[in-house]
Amino acid sequence: DTGVSQNPRHKITKRGQNVTFRCDPISEHNRLYWYRQTLGQGPEFLTYFQNEAQLEKSRLLSDRFSAERPKGSFSTLEIQRTEQGDSAMYLCASSPGVDAGSTIYFGEGSWLTVV
Amino acid sequence: GNSVTQMEGPVTLSEEAFLTINCTYTATGYPSLFWYVQYPGEGLQLLLKATKADDKGSNKGFEATYRKETTSFHLEKGSVQVSDSAVYFCALFTNTGNQFYFGTGTSLTVIP
């Protein structure tokens, strides 16, 4: 197991189109997170899953965004009717546990450019 | 609420210089503290962490001590290398928040 895997790594799309990103977490990691990062900023929390249950969503996650984690394994993040403001890197991370000492492990991110 | 404040960059140092990147936090509950590093075009990698007061996290010559009294977790390295050039993020996690909170990052460039 080599870590958290994300694809596609880069996506250029026209405004108004839908895009979907996939994340494969480290095996047996219960928690899966999605973050968004724009240039010069730290990652901003979007949502997280505990197994297949989506337990928290940020206000940043508008109704155009939807995330799923069927069967508690991989996850998808879909953005509908993309806008130029959605251009960012979307980071997935996973964690083996829920206690405060659990490290989260990030994937390499999926870059989205909306033109 | 929960938040992390980092010193603003960019920071430029000569090779073998001493590095300090300041990080302070506010948190509800008892947080664990982390430093992550991001190399160009890559995701974030854990550099070090500390889970309770007075703990010192260390890795690859970097160190940071969890100071509850000053709510700080400053990153230090005695002698930086060109390969340390990256963006460094301070972060905290609390069970009350169920998520990681990141600072805005500090860009470090080490010149030969």
Side-chain angles (χ1 to χ4, degrees):
Chain A
D1 192 27
T2 56
V4 179
S5 176
Q6 292 187 245
N7 65 81
R9 293 290 315 281
H10 301 275
K11 179 72 175 179
I12 300 174
T13 190
K14 292 183 178 179
R15 188 173 52 188
Q17 298 295 303
N18 300 343
V19 296
T20 299
F21 299 112
R22 176 181 169 122
C23 172
D24 289 272
I26 295 172
S27 296
E28 300 180 358
H29 276 195
N30 297 320
R31 282 215 170 176
L32 186 148
Y33 299 82
W34 285 100
Y35 280 81
R36 182 171 70 186
Q37 185 179 20
T38 53
L39 284 175
Q41 298 298 315
E44 297 174 298
F45 171 77
L46 292 179
T47 188
Y48 86 89
F49 293 83
Q50 178 72 26
N51 298 313
E52 67 274 10
Q54 188 174 19
L55 297 185
E56 189 171 337
K57 294 193 291 186
S58 163
R59 295 174 188 175
L60 293 175
L61 214 66
S62 75
D63 56 4
R64 296 185 296 105
F65 288 71
S66 62
E68 295 182 343
R69 193 185 183 194
K71 304 179 183 178
S73 56
F74 72 91
S75 175
T76 57
L77 176 68
E78 181 183 18
I79 308 173
Q80 296 182 325
R81 305 181 304 281
T82 52
E83 301 173 356
Q84 287 189 325
D86 297 331
S87 297
M89 181 160 68
Y90 292 84
L91 291 163
C92 177
S94 69
S95 169
V98 302
D99 64 84
S102 291
T103 301
I104 60 170
Y105 298 86
F106 283 88
E108 293 190 335
S110 293
W111 281 101
L112 173 64
T113 301
V114 181
V115 297
Chain B
N2 298 311
S3 67
V4 175
T5 302
Q6 285 182 238
M7 67 181 280
E8 293 189 8
V11 174
T12 302
L13 294 173
S14 297
E15 205 166 22
E16 300 184 2
F18 184 85
L19 169 71
T20 299
I21 300 178
N22 291 337
C23 170
T24 57
Y25 68 90
T26 58
T28 57
Y30 199 103
S32 290
L33 302 173
F34 302 78
W35 277 99
Y36 279 83
V37 58
Q38 187 173 34
Y39 298 100
E42 298 184 10
L44 280 73
Q45 303 174 23
L46 176 68
L47 181 59
L48 53 84
K49 71 177 186 181
T51 58
K52 60 182 186 294
D54 300 324
D55 268 3
K56 177 185 285 187
S58 61
N59 186 27
K60 299 180 182 179
F62 291 90
E63 293 183 340
T65 301
Y66 189 141
R67 301 288 187 197
K68 188 177 180 183
E69 64 276 13
T70 54
T71 62
S72 66
F73 193 55
H74 304 322
L75 182 68
E76 296 181 337
K77 186 174 185 182
S79 176
V80 293
Q81 305 300 312
V82 173
S83 58
D84 295 327
S85 298
V87 180
Y88 293 82
F89 292 93
C90 185
L92 69 84
F93 181 88
T94 70
N95 282 341
T96 56
N98 281 312
Q99 59 173 282
F100 277 71
Y101 296 83
F102 288 87
T104 54
T106 302
S107 174
L108 170 66
T109 301
V110 180
I111 55 176

